[in-house]
Amino acid sequence: MPRSFLVKKHHSSKKPNYGRLNSETEEVSCCTPKDSLLHNDIPPHHHCPAPSPRLQQRAQSSSSSCSLSLRAGRLHLPSSPNASPLSFLGHYSEACSRSPTEAYKPVESCTKVNLEIQHVAGDHRRRESLLSPSLPLLALFPAIAPGGQESFECLDCHKEHFSFSGLAKHKQLQCEWSSKKYFSCKYCEKEYDSLGALKMHIRTHTLPCVCKLCGKAFSRPWLLQGHIRTHTGEKPFSCLHCSRAFADRSNLRAHLQTHSEVKKYQCTSCFKTFSRISLLAKHQEAGCPLS
DNA sequence: CTGGGGAGGGGGCCC
DNA sequence: AGGGCCCCCTCCCCA
């Protein structure tokens, strides 16, 4: 049943880091733009698919640093336990020396590439703890501006900076995109701006509350409670105007509308009122005679 | 077709 | 952070 009207929409295609959250009690995920790149755009298997649409879009959009970032994700970078994020600057020139086609060519071990990136991610996270909010990994790769000067692009808002510290400060204090976190559901496309909201949503997939009487599963305990009332016949919500009682408060509220001469929902054309918005919608869809 | 009841689901808020 | 509750909503069914 579609409930999309209740879901917050973000103009973001962020995807979660499920590996990180699988260690938690529920399979939920948090991702920043950085995480998205680390864990989704660079595939952790051996078949290196084409660059993701997001990266392709960025690569085509203009910035040389974006282009580099894409290549770096496909390059077979040597492992070094002491590698810092900036050690990848050395690979920058290697990447630029290759043609785009070559740079995108699948390498022998994408897993190793992925591990390298993960290593940088770990290093990056240490840096991140000092420069919170997060710094995207790929922002650590400089581009060469037309004048020959290195520039560092914020991959969230695409603003360029001429020093790493400038970029860091921007990410920490100015970039609105970087300060936002998105939490995406692994079972569907919905995104939330808080972990709690996502956990709540994921319960609608996992349905942890099971009725002992009929086995039907629900997302929340109080939904199960309401369902159990259908077995017991309990109706704790009574109408003050008549003798009717209801098992559900919402249904009592809807019922109370029937006692009101002026219903809550009114047609703006004929001014007829309806007890439910769905009835008003039906009225308008059927074609209000005065509209 | 309309109105209403029953059942269930969603996010948000509060504690 | 998690549970309980609230409010709003939809869908199905029936009179």
Side-chain angles (χ1 to χ4, degrees):
Chain A
M1 182 186 306
R3 303 285 178 188
S4 57
F5 66 96
L6 287 168
V7 179
K8 284 191 173 179
K9 299 289 185 185
H10 302 290
H11 42 282
S12 155
S13 59
K14 319 289 188 298
K15 292 293 180 183
N17 170 4
Y18 290 107
R20 173 179 158 192
L21 283 146
N22 281 342
S23 62
E24 298 183 8
T25 54
E26 289 192 333
E27 290 185 349
V28 295
S29 61
C30 156
C31 65
T32 62
K34 166 208 66 180
D35 287 328
S36 171
L37 185 64
L38 289 176
H39 301 287
N40 289 328
D41 292 339
I42 300 171
H45 49 69
H46 289 266
H47 298 293
C48 284
S52 72
R54 177 172 175 244
L55 281 178
Q56 290 185 34
Q57 185 180 6
R58 285 192 171 181
Q60 291 164 2
S61 66
S62 65
S63 154
S64 58
S65 63
C66 284
S67 170
L68 167 65
S69 303
L70 191 51
R71 293 168 188 170
R74 302 286 175 248
L75 284 175
H76 188 172
L77 302 175
S79 174
S80 165
N82 297 320
S84 71
L86 294 179
S87 71
F88 278 86
L89 300 187
H91 303 299
Y92 165 63
S93 57
E94 181 190 354
C96 288
S97 68
R98 302 184 183 196
S99 70
T101 304
E102 185 181 6
Y104 295 142
K105 188 186 301 180
V107 294
E108 289 184 1
S109 170
C110 286
T111 301
K112 186 170 185 179
V113 174
N114 191 52
L115 290 175
E116 292 292 331
I117 298 298
Q118 294 280 4
H119 171 74
V120 174
D123 205 344
H124 167 56
R125 289 194 184 99
R126 288 195 290 277
R127 180 181 295 275
E128 181 184 356
S129 66
L130 301 175
L131 297 174
S132 179
S134 60
L135 286 169
L137 163 67
L138 295 179
L140 297 172
F141 294 93
I144 304 299
Q149 186 176 9
E150 275 189 356
S151 67
F152 295 80
E153 181 192 5
C154 173
L155 292 188
D156 291 323
C157 70
H158 296 282
K159 186 174 181 179
E160 290 199 5
H161 300 267
F162 294 108
S163 69
F164 179 80
S165 60
L167 171 64
K169 187 175 181 181
H170 161 77
K171 301 293 291 185
Q172 182 181 18
L173 300 174
Q174 299 164 1
C175 182
E176 182 180 350
W177 280 83
S178 300
S179 64
K180 286 186 177 178
K181 287 193 173 184
Y182 299 98
F183 300 86
S184 301
C185 176
K186 72 177 291 182
Y187 300 102
C188 66
E189 298 297 317
K190 294 174 182 170
E191 294 183 336
Y192 300 85
D193 56 8
S194 75
L195 183 59
L198 175 61
K199 283 186 174 182
M200 187 74 72
H201 165 74
I202 284 180
R203 295 175 72 96
T204 69
H205 294 291
T206 58
L207 301 177
C209 308
V210 181
C211 175
K212 291 179 180 177
L213 297 175
C214 68
K216 188 164 184 181
F218 299 86
S219 59
R220 304 189 210 177
W222 63 266
L223 276 172
L224 174 58
Q225 284 182 352
H227 166 75
I228 288 176
R229 290 193 194 113
T230 68
H231 293 302
T232 63
E234 181 190 6
K235 294 183 176 180
F237 302 99
S238 299
C239 176
L240 296 175
H241 302 92
C242 68
S243 58
R244 291 202 65 121
F246 300 84
D248 183 90
R249 190 191 302 272
S250 291
N251 291 336
L252 169 60
R253 191 178 298 112
H255 166 77
L256 287 173
Q257 280 287 308
T258 67
H259 290 300
S260 173
E261 284 191 9
V262 179
K263 308 292 192 296
K264 188 176 181 181
Y265 303 98
Q266 187 175 43
C267 175
T268 55
S269 301
C270 68
F271 303 110
K272 186 177 180 182
T273 58
F274 299 86
S275 59
R276 301 180 187 191
I277 194 170
S278 58
L279 296 176
L280 172 59
K282 275 186 182 177
H283 166 77
Q284 291 176 330
E285 282 176 10
C288 172
L290 298 184
S291 67

